[in-house]
Amino acid sequence: MIRKTLTTHLAPLRPLVIARNVAQITSIHSVPSMKTKVPTKQHSLELSNLRKQLLDRPGLLGIKRGMITWYTEDGNQFAATVLEVDSCEVMANKTKETDGYTAVMVGSGTKLKNLTPDQLRLAQQAGVSPKRSIREFRVRDESGLIPVGTELRADYFAVGQLVDVSGVSKGKGFAGVIKRHGFAGLQASHGVSKAHRSAGSTGATQDPGRVLPGKKMAGHMGAVNRTVFNNEVLHADGDAGILVVKGVVPGPNKSVIKIRDAKKLYGRSLLSMKNVNRT
């Protein structure tokens, strides 16, 4: 048996150049390499504090007592809300060195039972009675800190200035789309059967075949934090602890309300102040 060997003459192969994540430069005028700067982290706590619109002083806590009709000297009338300022005192101060930001803790009211060890320790350090409600107010820098134990009265705000009031809105429970989002509802006739206040179609058929996130549907309504901006101070009595604010205030009666200077008018960020000083 004769075996034949086949030989082929192959052309010389060019050496393969393997470079990982390197672009092949074909022009002599191209830039061979370029160094990029390290990206700046915009989500750090320090930069976040510089961007926040903060006030130069804290606010105080009040208790919503109800609404009244306020009459002016010209005979005009409009709705107003009465807020009671009861034993509002500074509980503690937070600094940038210890907590990473600057804030003032303010307490209101008096709590006599069911006290936790932390509440007792905080009241003893401040030299005040234990408080029923404690809230925190961010300030721009340490110049806005107030000595611990200082009492804040209703005349802390001047008559005629604008304030922001924050509170937890009234809870409505499980509400439909008409009450919760203001839907018009379906028709009252022409074959509509027992679906007059329904939401209708909430999604497409095959594409995308699901209900997209954020769709307005029935669900829990109310009981969320709400802020009303630029309410005018009509009356401030420090001795009686009464503060009358123009307009409505979120939340039911006897609820705790945060009152502070109007942020849109008096609030500034440290970053904007630095840019003004540079110019």
Side-chain angles (χ1 to χ4, degrees), residues 147-206:
V148 177
T150 304
E151 182 181 4
L152 304 178
R153 293 157 39 109
D155 52 5
Y156 184 74
F157 299 105
V159 176
Q161 80 165 96
L162 301 181
V163 295
D164 298 339
V165 289
S166 304
V168 181
S169 62
K170 294 181 181 181
K172 307 295 183 179
F174 192 94
V177 292
I178 293 181
K179 183 176 182 179
R180 191 184 186 198
H181 301 292
F183 281 22
L186 302 183
Q187 294 181 352
S189 61
H190 296 283
V192 178
S193 175
K194 298 181 180 180
H196 306 288
R197 298 179 66 88
S198 65
S201 177
T202 57
T205 54
Q206 185 176 358

Side-chain angles (χ1 to χ4, degrees), residues 82-126:
V82 179
L83 303 175
E84 179 186 359
V85 181
D86 179 24
S87 302
C88 187
E89 296 172 328
V90 178
M91 302 295 294
N93 289 323
K94 292 187 176 182
T95 59
K96 186 177 180 181
E97 290 75 13
T98 58
D99 302 282
Y101 62 96
T102 308
V104 178
M105 296 181 64
V106 179
S108 176
T110 303
K111 189 175 183 181
L112 301 178
K113 59 182 180 179
N114 298 332
L115 297 171
T116 62
D118 294 337
Q119 292 175 344
L120 288 174
R121 181 171 58 254
L122 185 62
Q124 291 176 357
Q125 293 175 355

Side-chain angles (χ1 to χ4, degrees), residues 123-252:
Q124 291 176 357
Q125 293 175 355
V128 298
S129 60
K131 300 301 179 182
R132 182 176 301 275
S133 303
I134 299 176
R135 300 292 187 272
E136 186 176 290
F137 292 90
R138 294 283 299 269
V139 292
R140 191 178 300 135
D141 49 24
E142 294 185 358
S143 62
L145 299 179
I146 300 178
V148 177
T150 304
E151 182 181 4
L152 304 178
R153 293 157 39 109
D155 52 5
Y156 184 74
F157 299 105
V159 176
Q161 80 165 96
L162 301 181
V163 295
D164 298 339
V165 289
S166 304
V168 181
S169 62
K170 294 181 181 181
K172 307 295 183 179
F174 192 94
V177 292
I178 293 181
K179 183 176 182 179
R180 191 184 186 198
H181 301 292
F183 281 22
L186 302 183
Q187 294 181 352
S189 61
H190 296 283
V192 178
S193 175
K194 298 181 180 180
H196 306 288
R197 298 179 66 88
S198 65
S201 177
T202 57
T205 54
Q206 185 176 358
D207 186 16
R210 62 189 177 92
V211 179
L212 297 177
K215 180 66 177 177
K216 294 181 179 180
M217 302 176 67
H220 187 272
M221 180 180 178
V224 293
N225 293 322
R226 286 292 179 261
T227 302
V228 180
F229 298 94
N230 300 335
N231 279 13
E232 182 183 354
V233 176
L234 301 176
H235 179 72
D237 191 346
D239 297 331
I242 297 299
L243 186 68
V244 181
V245 179
K246 183 180 180 179
V248 297
V249 171

